[in-house]
Amino acid sequence: RSPAGTQNTFSQSVRQTFPEPRARSGGSSTIRGADMVETNKFKLGLFVTISLLLFIIAVASMGIFDSLFKSRAHMATFVEESVQGLNSGSAVKFRGVPIGNVSDITIIMESQTIRIDMVIDLSKFKTKIGKNIFTQSPISAPDFYKYILSEIDKGLRCRIEPDGITGIKYVEMDFFKDVDSRIADADVKPGLHDSVFYVPSTPSLMSSLRFSMTEILANIASIDFRKISDETVSLLGAANKTFNDPKLQHLLENADDIIRKASTAVDTLN
């Protein structure tokens, strides 16, 4: 063979032994891209699912689900005093036991009366089954309203109380003797009104003290001290004039003489 033929035969042998790499086809690239999209979707779905589960666990741990499904009652009361320190979310207590929260505070412009709306957790109230105090059952909203209405006749009232020295206040439901209801809307009877149960209120201790001090100061201010002073001066002048009257002096001398004579007569008889 010629040298040229031998070189061509060697080149073909090399190409057959080490074939040149082929360019990737378009179909293979499309399949691999689709696999990556599916993988990303799976990771995203897994992330969302885990996040949702963690959120549900966090909500359940805070008791939000329990508060959503608890049996509740809606109540309202009216006051004619400052509610400084009382806010939405403030506690509502029954004889010191937390039973709910203040849901809203509004002002009735015509009478300057303040309305306090409250949400009561009925799970805090139980009714005894039979004679055993340890066997109890939940109470329904109608039964709760009936119970509160009967207790109002016994002196149950709402009153704003301070929570320590922090300035924060809460609504206390308790029994008060000689309750005072100086409320402009006192003609509204206790009971259910538009799905809200109205409970009368009594002024807070500070409001009662303030009212009493105002009455005392008003009574003091109504006293005519100038007239009293003038009458006192006049009375003292008249008394002084009477004591300096010669007739009174003569009368006193005669009385003294009679007493001496009587004393002498008694000594003689002895």
Side-chain angles (χ1 to χ4, degrees):
R1 294 183 181 176
S2 63
T6 303
Q7 185 176 2
N8 291 336
T9 302
F10 178 76
S11 298
Q12 290 177 0
S13 299
V14 171
R15 284 196 297 268
Q16 291 176 359
T17 305
F18 302 99
E20 294 182 359
R22 297 182 180 180
R24 294 179 179 178
S25 63
S28 177
S29 300
T30 302
I31 293 174
R32 180 166 295 182
D35 291 340
M36 293 180 64
V37 170
E38 293 296 330
T39 302
N40 291 335
K41 287 183 177 180
F42 173 77
K43 291 180 179 179
L44 179 61
L46 183 62
F47 173 76
V48 172
T49 303
I50 294 175
S51 301
L52 184 60
L53 289 175
L54 292 176
F55 175 76
I56 294 174
I57 292 173
V59 169
S61 64
M62 290 187 293
I64 296 179
F65 283 156
D66 292 338
S67 63
L68 291 176
F69 296 104
K70 283 182 179 178
S71 181
R72 299 178 176 182
H74 298 273
M75 306 178 71
T77 190
F78 299 89
V79 298
E80 287 185 334
E81 60 182 278
S82 173
V83 294
Q84 178 69 31
L86 188 73
N87 304 292
S88 296
S90 295
V92 178
K93 300 182 180 181
F94 187 94
R95 312 199 74 178
V97 179
I99 61 170
N101 299 95
V102 174
S103 59
D104 195 14
I105 302 175
T106 53
I107 301 172
I108 301 175
M109 296 184 295
E110 289 77 9
S111 58
Q112 297 298 317
T113 302
I114 298 177
R115 171 175 172 170
I116 303 173
D117 286 271
M118 300 165 285
V119 177
I120 308 301
D121 179 11
L122 294 183
S123 65
K124 296 295 183 179
F125 293 86
K126 305 290 184 180
T127 180
K128 186 173 65 174
I129 300 176
K131 297 182 179 181
N132 189 351
I133 195 172
F134 290 100
T135 56
Q136 304 165 348
S137 66
I139 188 172
S140 63
D143 291 337
F144 172 75
Y145 292 143
K146 184 178 180 180
Y147 164 74
I148 294 296
L149 188 61
S150 65
E151 297 304 300
I152 289 175
D153 296 335
K154 301 176 184 177
L156 180 66
R157 297 292 186 272
C158 291
R159 188 166 80 171
I160 299 176
E161 296 285 0
D163 191 4
I165 60 175
T166 60
I168 299 175
K169 296 182 180 179
Y170 66 94
V171 178
E172 176 73 26
M173 296 180 65
D174 207 338
F175 297 88
F176 301 95
K177 295 182 178 179
D178 302 325
V179 290
D180 186 9
S181 298
R182 296 190 301 270
I183 301 299
D185 296 330
D187 56 334
V188 179
K189 295 182 179 181
L192 203 59
H193 300 273
D194 297 331
S195 302
V196 178
F197 193 92
Y198 165 59
V199 180
S201 68
T202 187
S204 64
L205 181 60
M206 290 302 299
S207 178
S208 299
L209 291 176
R210 192 182 301 113
F211 182 78
S212 299
M213 290 299 298
T214 301
E215 285 187 334
I216 293 172
L217 293 176
N219 292 332
I220 293 175
S222 64
I223 298 175
D224 191 350
F225 290 100
R226 181 177 294 276
K227 182 179 179 180
I228 294 175
S229 177
D230 293 341
E231 291 179 351
T232 302
V233 171
S234 177
L235 179 62
L236 292 175
N240 187 41
K241 184 178 179 180
T242 302
F243 288 138
N244 294 327
D245 191 349
K247 293 181 180 180
L248 180 61
Q249 295 296 328
H250 182 68
L251 180 61
L252 292 175
E253 290 175 359
N254 291 336
D256 185 56
D257 186 54
I258 292 172
I259 291 172
R260 280 198 308 270
K261 291 180 179 179
S263 177
T264 301
V266 170
D267 292 339
T268 304
L269 290 175
N270 289 335

